[in-house]
Amino acid sequence: MRLADYSKFIALILRHKPEIIGITLDEHGWANVAELIAGIRKVKYANFDMALLEDVVRNNNKQRFSFNDDKSLIRANQGHSINVDVELKECTPPETLYHGTAEKSVNSILASGIVAKNRLYVHLSKDIPTAINVGKRHGKPAVFAIKAEIMSQAGYKFFISENGVWLTKSIPTDFLELITEPESC
């Protein structure tokens, strides 16, 4: 079994559906580690243990998960569709951030802006290559430049997650520009 398979399943649990293994998250998105391991063993991976969980957290290239200090609790750093407060730090963004998406979403975004849809926040990258990689997960990629500093000055709030992903609630069309045409990605 690949670590990525475990990671995807843990992300599903901690970001969207803790009930599939019979656990609940607290108001800040934390899950009890012992309950998580027991639930994963019961529902999907009989061999799952603390050593595997630590490997998943340590080796996840996107640093999606965090333990508390004594490793008795774990949570996803961002990307939730369920209502939790992961205690994000409000920060002043850089001048420009980037949003990677699929080519099929370009016209809708140009007409209506970027909305979180089934997540709590819109995810933004600090560089174009990362945004392209994000867009590739959804189809042929397209990248938008976000006038983050101007948005912030206009009163929009920006947050940064534990793993360096920038987040905001929505992005009106006035603050975005298509910079990477889909056919050039």
Side-chain angles (χ1 to χ4, degrees):
M1 187 63 54
R2 298 175 318 135
L3 282 182
D5 296 325
Y6 294 118
S7 181
K8 286 179 184 177
F9 190 58
I10 293 167
L12 175 68
I13 295 163
L14 296 179
R15 294 163 95 184
H16 310 294
K17 296 181 178 183
E19 69 277 4
I20 65 173
I21 63 163
I23 66 169
T24 58
L25 306 180
D26 74 11
E27 67 274 11
H28 298 294
W30 293 105
N32 178 286
V33 167
E35 292 174 5
L36 177 76
I37 292 169
I40 291 171
R41 290 179 71 124
K42 182 174 152 185
V43 171
K44 188 146 182 163
Y45 300 115
N47 66 332
F48 196 77
D49 60 15
M50 184 64 176
L52 269 171
L53 181 59
E54 289 175 325
D55 279 349
V56 167
V57 172
R58 182 177 41 256
N59 295 308
N60 185 276
N61 63 344
K62 296 179 182 173
Q63 295 299 296
R64 284 195 168 124
F65 313 108
S66 295
F67 284 115
N68 68 341
D69 290 338
D70 68 0
K71 295 187 178 179
S72 63
L73 301 173
I74 187 172
R75 71 176 171 191
N77 290 321
Q78 91 282 327
H80 297 82
S81 62
I82 54 179
N83 194 19
V84 295
D85 172 13
V86 291
E87 304 166 295
L88 295 168
K89 296 178 280 187
E90 187 176 344
C91 293
T92 301
E95 180 180 352
T96 306
L97 290 168
Y98 303 92
H99 181 74
T101 191
E103 162 182 65
K104 64 186 176 212
S105 301
V106 167
N107 289 336
S108 173
I109 289 171
L110 288 172
S112 305
I114 303 172
V115 295
K117 292 190 179 178
N118 62 342
R119 293 198 182 180
L120 300 179
Y121 295 96
V122 173
H123 293 204
L124 303 170
S125 306
K126 57 187 170 196
D127 59 64
I128 293 170
T130 301
I132 289 171
N133 285 333
V134 169
K136 284 180 180 177
R137 288 187 284 158
H138 306 288
K140 191 171 182 183
V143 175
F144 285 88
I146 310 305
K147 300 171 190 170
E149 184 177 49
I150 295 170
M151 269 185 74
S152 177
Q153 291 167 353
Y156 291 86
K157 293 182 179 182
F158 285 82
F159 305 92
I160 191 160
S161 69
E162 288 285 323
N163 58 341
V165 175
W166 284 90
L167 306 163
T168 192
K169 287 288 186 181
S170 64
I171 303 163
T173 58
D174 294 348
F175 301 105
L176 58 84
E177 175 186 353
L178 180 62
I179 60 163
T180 305
E181 293 295 331
E183 56 274 359
S184 68
C185 292

